[in-house]
Structure formats: structure tokens, C-alpha cells
């Protein structure tokens, strides 16, 4: 095919195909019509907005009744229970599980993210955990 023939085929008007019946017909008919944007009515927003404002005003209205006198009961002092330090037992069997490896991976990802943020955003104040 020569360049002139190809150019004439490309510039030739497109023939309208006969639409098939059914769904395709409706789609093709809609594609031929120019698109007209329809303005949606938003007047329904006024009713809930008015109701919310009215409810807010009713609830924020000060009470006309005087505040009741406050009766103070004698204070009861409860001594805190003594703090007993629990000794952590080594959990060597957990280190072999997939959950432990996932925990280590999440901690590593968090450290890399904090390191990246501190390098890329020097104005961001980050407090580092003391080890």
C-alpha cells in the first residue's frame, strides 16, 4: 500500500455501522449523542443542615436551674499494692517460629522507615529510643 492510498483511507469519513439489536444498540446510540452535563439539585442538603444547627443550639443552651450543692464525702486513701518485679523467663523456643521472624522483620522495617524520614526530613523532630 502506498503512502497516498493509506492517507486517503485514513482521511475518509467513517461510515456509520448498523447497530445490532439489544444492549449494543443502546450503547452505540448513546455514543452518537453529544454529552450534556446535568446539574444535580442539592437542595436536600438544607434540611439536614438546618436540623443539625437547630439541635446544636438546643443542646448548647445553658440551663436556667442553679447547680445543686456538691456534697463532699470524706476521702478514702488506698495504699497501692507493692510492686513485684516479675522475672522474664527465656523464651528460646519462640525464636524458631514464623511469628517471631515476622516481629523481627516489622521492627527492622520500622527502623529503616524512621531512618529514611530523619534523613529526608531533617526538620522533623524524632526522638530515638535509648537502648
Amino acid at each position: 500500500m502506498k503512502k497516498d492510498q493509506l492517507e486517503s483511507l485514513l482521511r475518509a469519513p467513517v461510515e456509520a455501522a448498523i447497530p445490532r439489536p439489544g444492549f449494543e444498540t443502546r450503547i452505540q446510540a448513546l455514543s452518537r449523542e453529544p454529552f450534556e452535563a446535568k446539574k444535580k439539585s442539592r437542595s436536600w442538603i438544607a434540611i439536614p443542615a438546618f436540623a443539625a444547627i437547630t439541635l446544636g443550639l438546643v443542646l448548647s443552651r445553658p440551663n436556667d436551674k442553679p447547680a445543686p450543692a456538691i456534697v463532699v464525702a470524706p476521702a478514702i486513701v488506698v495504699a497501692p499494692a507493692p510492686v513485684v518485679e516479675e522475672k522474664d523467663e527465656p523464651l528460646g523456643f519462640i525464636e524458631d517460629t514464623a511469628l517471631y521472624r515476622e516481629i523481627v522483620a516489622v521492627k527492622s522495617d520500622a527502623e529503616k522507615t524512621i531512618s529514611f524520614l530523619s534523613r529526608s526530613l531533617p526538620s522533623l523532630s524524632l526522638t530515638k529510643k535509648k537502648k
Side-chain angles (χ1 to χ4, degrees):
M1 193 177 260
K2 294 183 180 180
K3 184 178 178 182
D4 295 334
Q5 292 174 339
L6 180 62
E7 193 170 319
S8 64
L9 284 175
L10 290 174
R11 295 186 188 275
V14 178
E15 296 178 13
I18 299 171
R20 294 176 292 192
F23 179 71
E24 291 85 5
T25 305
R26 292 192 302 268
I27 297 297
Q28 289 176 357
L30 287 174
S31 68
R32 283 190 221 112
E33 295 177 7
F35 177 72
E36 295 177 10
K38 296 179 182 177
K39 292 187 177 183
K40 294 182 180 179
S41 173
R42 294 196 174 116
S43 61
W44 60 272
I45 295 176
I47 295 170
F50 180 72
I53 291 171
T54 305
L55 183 64
L57 291 175
V58 168
L59 293 178
S60 67
R61 187 179 63 191
N63 293 335
D64 295 335
K65 299 177 185 177
I70 299 174
V71 178
V72 179
I76 299 174
V77 178
V78 178
V83 178
V84 178
E85 294 183 20
E86 296 180 13
K87 295 181 181 177
D88 292 334
E89 296 179 11
L91 301 175
F93 65 92
I94 287 185
E95 294 178 1
D96 299 339
T97 63
L99 181 62
Y100 180 77
R101 290 191 300 271
E102 188 67 26
I103 291 170
V104 171
V106 168
K107 283 183 181 179
S108 173
D109 290 346
E111 288 172 358
K112 288 178 184 176
T113 303
I114 293 296
S115 173
F116 172 75
L117 285 174
S118 65
R119 280 184 279 128
S120 57
L121 302 171
S123 63
L124 183 67
S125 63
L126 299 173
T127 58
K128 291 190 176 182
K129 189 176 183 182
K130 293 182 181 179
K131 293 184 178 180

